[in-house]
Amino acid sequence: MNLKTLNDTANALVANGKGILAADESTGTIAKRFAAIGVENTEPNRRDYRELMFTAPGVEKFISGVIQYDETARQKGAKGNMLWETLTKRGIIPGIKVDKGTIDMPLSPNEKVTEGLDGLGKRLDEYKALGCRFAKWRAVITIGKGLPTEACLRKNADLLAHYAAICQDKDVVPIVEPEVLMDGDHTQQRCFEVTEQTLHIVFEALRHHGVALEGILLKPNMVISADKCPQQASVDQVAAETLRLFRRTVPAAVPGIVFLSGGQSDEVASAHLGAMNRMGGGPWKLSFSYGRALQHAPQHAWKGQAANVAAAQQAFLHRAKMNTAAALGKYTSAMEKEPVGV
Ligand code: 13P
């Protein structure tokens, strides 16, 4: 393990207000996104869609890295170039989702456990040859009656830590993603309790596996009210509680926390990140690794039409720019109306 390489990569991914585009939807998940905009889920359509984001003019000012799905990591663009080389030519770091999705937790079918450790070292060797310098593994934690179970938290933390150790052994920065879902009617306080418990167990597991915290990025949920909770926490309450939680649980050695958007609307995801950085007070960089909150707008502008590519790129750049402003603590809702002007 080369800790300097790992730390340099992790720092580069959160430098200057930049953040990560999570474009690693599995073929099944992108099918749902495409269905919503009336686009057929074919390989050329997936290629064209992702290529339009990777080639948006000036994207490298806001986006430091892209998490790809296996297909994209091996895919050529419309002109025959490797898509990952399109990224590296712009100074954007290619990354790769390496988990293989979730299955029901044995004996607790309302919870999930993530698969994908088998052969991971060999797969990382292959991905490194395809330019990848960081990876992602997502664990899913469900809040419900009697949930999460201790077994689910411990199993997922152990898998995350083992994955992170394998990545660091290959000098690939692991993004450690324990996502506490916002589905349900639980309060912000309950989200706080479960996320706190989750992060304590995850960092304990990382320590047991010898993972160097200077060479990871944490990708967590924010501390928010569940989508169906009647009492919704305000933007400032979310920011304050999320910061309070991370000060308790995330060691200062971690270079950056890159949030998932998890179903928050585009503007709310930017507002939460912006408020946290305005309040400040943590030793780590706070940035974004958004999937839906970066892609919803460009998908709806594109709708699979070549004639809409430029408009879709502008919609994507706008969201990327808003989130970079948020990571720098400069975001205001008034900025949403500004032209992109990259
Ligand atoms: P969302 O921002 O849409 O939650 O996606 C981020 C991600 O990578 C989930 O694993």
Side-chain angles (χ1 to χ4, degrees):
M1 171 172 92
N2 184 332
L3 188 52
K4 178 161 184 343
T5 301
L6 290 167
N7 185 243
D8 286 351
T9 303
N11 280 325
L13 286 166
V14 290
N16 307 322
K18 289 192 230 181
I20 296 169
L21 164 65
D24 58 321
E25 302 83 1
S26 64
T27 305
T29 300
I30 200 77
K32 291 185 212 154
R33 309 277 183 265
F34 278 6
I37 53 170
V39 173
E40 204 188 337
N41 188 22
T42 62
E43 197 253 309
N45 283 343
R46 293 191 292 273
R47 174 200 68 196
D48 290 350
Y49 168 61
R50 284 165 174 151
E51 191 165 34
L52 85 79
M53 291 189 287
F54 298 178
T55 58
V59 58
E60 64 278 3
K61 291 187 184 144
F62 314 120
I63 299 294
S64 56
V66 174
I67 313 173
Q68 306 166 98
Y69 188 58
D70 178 81
E71 176 183 87
T72 317
R74 306 170 188 282
Q75 203 168 25
K76 290 185 171 154
K79 293 190 182 127
N81 47 309
M82 293 299 289
L83 284 177
W84 68 266
E85 287 178 326
T86 301
L87 294 173
T88 52
K89 276 189 189 137
R90 285 171 170 72
I92 297 174
I93 305 173
I96 183 77
K97 168 196 173 81
V98 295
D99 69 69
K100 294 199 165 172
T102 59
I103 54 165
D104 288 349
M105 175 87 184
L107 305 183
S108 185
N110 293 323
E111 296 187 290
K112 300 288 180 196
V113 64
T114 305
E115 293 192 307
L117 282 185
D118 284 359
L120 179 55
K122 278 209 182 86
R123 284 159 58 214
L124 284 172
D125 286 338
E126 215 186 322
Y127 290 135
K128 277 178 75 173
L130 294 166
C132 294
R133 288 163 53 197
F134 73 101
K136 168 190 131 172
W137 177 290
R138 173 174 177 253
V140 180
I141 307 299
T142 307
I143 298 181
K145 200 156 179 275
L147 303 182
T149 61
E150 176 98 11
C152 181
L153 289 175
R154 292 206 174 276
K155 185 74 229 171
N156 274 303
D158 196 61
L159 290 164
L160 270 171
H162 197 113
Y163 138 83
I166 295 171
C167 287
Q168 289 198 333
D169 203 33
K170 302 282 182 186
D171 297 330
V172 169
V173 169
I175 293 189
V176 174
E177 180 179 4
E179 175 175 5
V180 177
L181 295 176
M182 64 187 270
D183 304 348
D185 61 3
H186 57 266
T187 61
Q188 185 195 27
Q189 183 54 34
R190 180 87 180 113
C191 177
F192 187 107
E193 287 161 10
V194 172
T195 308
E196 182 175 32
Q197 193 187 5
T198 301
L199 291 179
H200 278 311
I201 293 175
V202 166
F203 279 100
E204 182 191 25
L206 291 170
R207 188 166 58 81
H208 285 155
H209 284 76
V211 173
L213 298 184
E214 296 84 353
I216 71 164
L217 291 175
L218 179 69
K219 176 163 173 168
N221 53 287
M222 299 177 193
V223 179
I224 57 179
S225 322
D227 55 353
K228 293 187 229 25
C229 178
Q231 191 80 38
Q232 288 290 314
S234 69
V235 168
D236 281 357
Q237 283 169 336
V238 168
E241 286 297 273
T242 305
L243 283 171
R244 185 165 75 90
L245 174 65
F246 289 149
R247 287 189 200 118
R248 286 184 175 193
T249 51
V250 184
V254 175
I257 298 174
V258 288
F259 292 98
L260 56 92
S261 59
Q264 299 178 43
S265 76
D266 299 0
E267 294 189 18
V268 167
S270 299
H272 283 153
L273 181 63
M276 274 184 252
N277 279 300
R278 206 176 54 242
M279 292 175 188
W284 354 257
K285 292 269 178 63
L286 296 171
S287 191
F288 58 93
S289 175
Y290 292 162
R292 281 162 286 180
L294 278 170
Q295 295 187 61
H296 181 263
Q299 281 164 5
H300 287 260
W302 177 54
K303 292 198 167 71
Q305 305 295 317
N308 295 337
V309 164
Q313 289 180 323
Q314 289 305 304
F316 174 59
L317 289 170
H318 178 70
R319 291 274 31 104
K321 185 180 176 182
M322 292 301 101
N323 288 311
T324 288
L328 294 171
K330 294 179 180 162
Y331 175 83
T332 61
S333 57
M335 292 172 70
E336 292 288 352
K337 296 191 177 55
E338 288 175 10
V340 171
V342 176

